Amino acid sequence: RPVEQLPTITAQSPSSLIAFPFDESFPMTCEAKGNPEPEYRWTKNGQEFDPSLDPRLMKEENSGTFVIPNNGNLTEYQGTYRCYASNKLGTAISKEIEFIVPHVPKFPKETLDPVVVEEGQAFVLQCDPPKGIPPLQIYWMTINLQHIEQDERVSMGLNGDLYFSHAVEKDSRRDYCCFAAFPRIRTIVQKTAMSVVVKTSRCPSSHFFFRSTSFVFRDAGRRFQRARRHIHSHISKNPTPQVEWVKMGHQLPVKAKLENHGKLMIVPRVDREDGGKYMCKAKNALGEAVHYFTLMVEGNGLKEPSCSRVLSSVVEEVLGAFTESCGMKWCRSKPLCYLVVVVYLFFFTAAPAANRKVFDDTIVLHNAKASDSAVYQCEASNKHGTLLSNTFTVCVFVQPGLLPCSHFNLESKGGVSELPSKCPTRSKDDSPESVEGPRFSVHDNGSLEIYGTAKDDAGQYTCLAKNTEGSSAVDAALYVKDPTRIVAAQEDQRILIGAAAQLSCLVELNPSWILLPSFVDQYRAFHPFSVHRYFVENGVLQILNVSHGDQGVYTCVARTPVDRDAASSRLTVLDVPDAPQYLVLSEHKSKSVKLKWIPGDDHNSSTTEFIIEYEESQWEPGNWKELLRVPGNHNQAVPKLHGHVDYRFRVSAVNAVGRGPPGEPTERYKPPPAAPDKNPDNIKIEGHLPHEMDINWEPLLPIEHNGPGLEYKVSYRRQDEEDWKEDVVKRHSFVVKNTPTFVPYEIKIQARNHQGWGPEPRIVTGYSGEDFPSAAPDDVAVEVVNGSVVKVSWTRVHKDKLHGHLGGYRVTPHKHTFCFLDKEAAPALSVCSTRLTPSLLYFMFSCPRNVGCRISTIAFFTPAVPERNPVFRVTDAQRHTVSLLWAPPSEPNGILTGYIHTFLLFLHPVNDTEEVGPLQPVNISNPNTTKWTLRDLEPVSKYKLYLRSCTMVGCGPTVSEECTTTLETISTQGWFIGLMCAIALLTLIVLIACFVNRNKGGKYSVKEKEDLHPDVESQGMNDDTFCEYSDNDEKPLKGSQHSLSREIKAGDSEDSLVDYGDEDVQFNEDGSFIGEYAGRKERKRASAEIKATIQTPA
């Protein structure tokens, strides 16, 4: 038995069938196959049409094809036809076939006026061809059928118009003819000839214009591989510009080609990647201009359904058993069975049925029966074309079939779980009862859905399906585990270009799962390994050296074998703005010009301002300077310009990241010369000599000259005069001679060039040259605050005696300036204080401070307490006496009045306690005294000794020394005393003998006299005494000997205070008379002892 087969269209006429007058007949083809043999019917314009009823039509046997003869009555057959092929299994339909009877196209009869243009001006000759059967071909020829020569200057547009970029004299003629050819109908028509008259002109036009023709274009898909996009641009300029094509942000398509001298760009087999913004740029020696075209690629948006796709959808939703034959579907019989077929716009199906409903692009069959088996066809159309799709459906009764149970072993991630078996009945863990409750839902297709899945829901589930043909069961195991979750996702980031970006996400998942983390953006996936600049490790995606291409949305995907979670974050790349483009100049005026530009990409940071810079070619060529700043929401500006400057401009943009690169500079623009816009600034009037006045000013910048021949007119007059004196100079200084001393003048300076004078200048006031003051400050007084600070006051000098600007007052002690008061800080009674060296006599000078000085003098004295004594030590310690030696202070800070000695006794020196006796003072009124002997001391006792130097202001700091008196010696024994007396007697005898001998010689030897009277004190210095020296109970530091030596040497000079005493008469401590020689000797000896002491290490 032959297998039954649904009908299928195997042959049909094209969508458009044109009845050309030279053809004999026109077949309307419709062939189909099927079993049983299909029957055919036709519709015309949506109405039933039976070709067999028209005897003029030729019908073929066992075929749906009929033929329309060309008998001159073709118009009545014009329309849209469709063929239907049917058998008992269903119906197949053909595409719509449009039968077109063309008419002969003609140009309208018209009278055309001559086209009159100036030489160098652009013009267009319009063709306006009639409508006809495409393709259309247009030619421009003369009345003698000679082609009009076309080149870069003359070209034809896509609409057939003839464009002239600029007119030349040879364009004048009267036989420009447009011919329209229709090859398919073998017809050529001619338009009325046009006349062009070119008038000679010396001023070529500089006007730009663009013209774009938009044709319908189609997606370069399988059915439209030959579709092309023509983009045409005509440019008018003299001289003839060069044309350049650019696709904004991309390279021109490789398949694109240029024709018509670069004015026509053709993109064959256009696809969606060819869409975008295109720019046509025309430029010549005078400038450039641009025009933009937007190419939007459209298509019919339809695809023929995939057989396998339809089958899989039906299997999951409806079928229990099916065949793999493409186009064949099987469904089971059950109380509710429906079929969903995805379609596009509208349907052509079998006869209407009660269980069949159409919803927009979907047909639904309820309670499908075997009679619902049919061919279902869908046709969709838009302006780009029509698609027809067929699907074959067969419904039979079969026993329910369920997929194997292993397919339903699910592991739930929590939340909602679904066991997708087609079962009306479900039970759990072999329980005979069905699963019921508010959390359980059994769908119409038999799937069991569990809401709010918990751990207790885990277990074995059984699905049972029944119909009239039998039953089937299947088991499914449900395992409930914690879901995979991203708990901490990366927030959106804004990052500077070139920096490193890190995107991280923290994942929680069941420990039994193996995590398969990855990152994806809109173009690629990043897995746990390193690729070029991208590193993925431990859930962190690191991107090094971020570029603009890295911007986008990144999704962190945490995937396990049964579930997944994802979190997205946006990475925004920040950068300085791109350079503004297409900066053009317009509205050229004498002192301004309008700049307009197209802002570049701000790279995700709004442009805050634009910086306009200029460069001129005369004074500083190549040096760009800032001219103006405009807000970031503006794209044009009108800066003020100077005359006679050859400008060139460029613009750069600024955002929060920084300043972007500048755009391409404009052509040069040189405003005409003009008078100066301003006069000099910063006028300074100075008087370096008493009878001269120097006038200086800041000259105008070179670009501020506004033209050649810049000069300055200097006008001046005394404030009490009305007439101005004027001089014209080219330099920026002027000297007025023979002026009175320090007299106010009014001055104004005005600039001019060959074009005229600048604006009216402002008047400034200055003074002529200054001279020395004729008076000094009066009532100068000095108040001594302390030994190093004084307060000086004086009366201000009258302004008539200053002869200049008061610069302040200078106060000088001796030759050192230590205080200066400016004129603002010097009232009528002024005060100045400073630190001075104490105890010196100063002469204070005060004067006004300008070009000269008149001096007021006053003397004063600053006493103070003296400094500490540099040397203080014990020279001899006996049982009841201690000899002391010291040096005067190096800085007495006045006249010494004496010294104060104090000493105290340690009561228990043996026990080394701190208990001391009362402090006992000794006043020495003679300032020349440098040694002293303390008497009536306790033997074998420790003493603390102090010394201070004094002036009339007070006493200075204290120096101290410690020493211990000695034990009683053997000189107190009787035998020793007798022995000493005998020795003394013998010595006396010897001395008398020597004296007698000496008198005999008649001379007296000072040397021998000194030998007879040795210095007891000097002898005592050689004894071994227990004596310690300290300064304020502190031991002297090493290295201090040199400084002490320098102080003592200074004391030995002729300015030493030791020599200030009276050298005529001196008395020692016990009042005995010492001669002049003895006094000098004593002083020299004391000095020698001090020096020796200092040079001896402490």
Side-chain angles (χ1 to χ4, degrees), residues 82-324:
R82 169 164 276 165
C83 174
Y84 297 81
S86 305
N87 63 12
K88 68 176 184 178
L89 298 180
T91 303
I93 63 175
S94 70
K95 295 180 180 179
E96 288 186 340
I97 305 170
E98 183 179 8
F99 184 65
I100 302 172
V101 180
H103 64 278
V104 178
K106 296 181 180 179
F107 278 105
K109 294 182 179 180
E110 56 185 343
T111 302
L112 302 176
D113 296 330
V115 179
V116 181
V117 296
E118 297 286 342
E119 185 177 8
Q121 181 181 356
F123 67 96
V124 181
L125 298 181
Q126 296 181 349
C127 181
D128 296 330
K131 294 183 179 180
I133 301 299
L136 169 65
Q137 298 175 354
I138 299 177
Y139 306 94
W140 282 90
M141 294 185 290
T142 66
I143 200 67
N144 297 325
L145 300 183
Q146 298 294 321
H147 284 278
I148 301 296
E149 182 180 357
Q150 298 186 26
D151 52 19
E152 294 181 352
R153 185 180 65 87
V154 182
S155 60
M156 184 179 67
L158 295 178
N159 60 352
D161 293 348
L162 189 63
Y163 293 84
F164 294 78
S165 64
H166 61 275
V168 296
E169 187 175 0
K170 68 177 183 178
D171 295 332
S172 296
R173 60 187 311 144
R174 295 181 296 175
D175 56 351
Y176 286 94
C177 297
C178 178
F179 291 85
F182 302 89
R184 296 187 65 180
I185 60 175
R186 303 176 185 178
T187 302
I188 298 178
V189 293
Q190 174 188 342
K191 186 174 182 177
T192 305
M194 288 174 277
S195 176
V196 175
V197 179
V198 180
K199 294 183 178 181
T200 303
S201 174
R202 294 184 179 179
C203 299
S205 173
S206 59
H207 173 66
F208 279 83
F209 76 94
F210 291 85
R211 185 179 182 89
S212 173
T213 303
S214 298
F215 278 18
V216 174
F217 53 94
R218 293 177 175 173
D219 194 342
R222 194 165 43 84
R223 299 174 60 90
F224 304 102
Q225 293 182 357
R226 294 175 177 264
R228 301 194 301 177
R229 174 57 175 160
H230 296 68
I231 304 178
H232 205 178
S233 176
H234 287 277
I235 307 96
S236 174
K237 187 80 174 178
N238 186 12
T240 303
Q242 299 295 322
V243 180
E244 176 186 355
W245 290 89
V246 177
K247 185 178 182 182
M248 306 304 293
H250 304 275
Q251 297 290 334
L252 278 177
V254 178
K255 57 189 174 183
K257 55 183 179 179
L258 303 179
E259 295 182 0
N260 198 5
H261 307 285
K263 301 176 185 178
L264 172 63
M265 182 178 67
I266 300 175
V267 183
R269 302 179 307 281
V270 66
D271 52 31
R272 298 194 183 276
E273 285 73 16
D274 297 325
K277 192 173 184 179
Y278 291 79
M279 179 188 72
C280 172
K281 179 188 291 186
K283 56 184 177 180
N284 63 9
L286 299 180
E288 64 181 38
V290 297
H291 189 70
Y292 297 94
F293 304 86
T294 299
L295 177 61
M296 300 177 62
V297 180
E298 297 179 354
N300 51 29
L302 299 177
K303 293 183 179 179
E304 295 184 359
S306 168
C307 179
S308 61
R309 177 183 176 186
V310 174
L311 282 175
S312 67
S313 176
V314 174
V315 169
E316 290 186 7
E317 300 295 338
V318 179
L319 301 181
F322 59 90
T323 67
E324 292 294 341

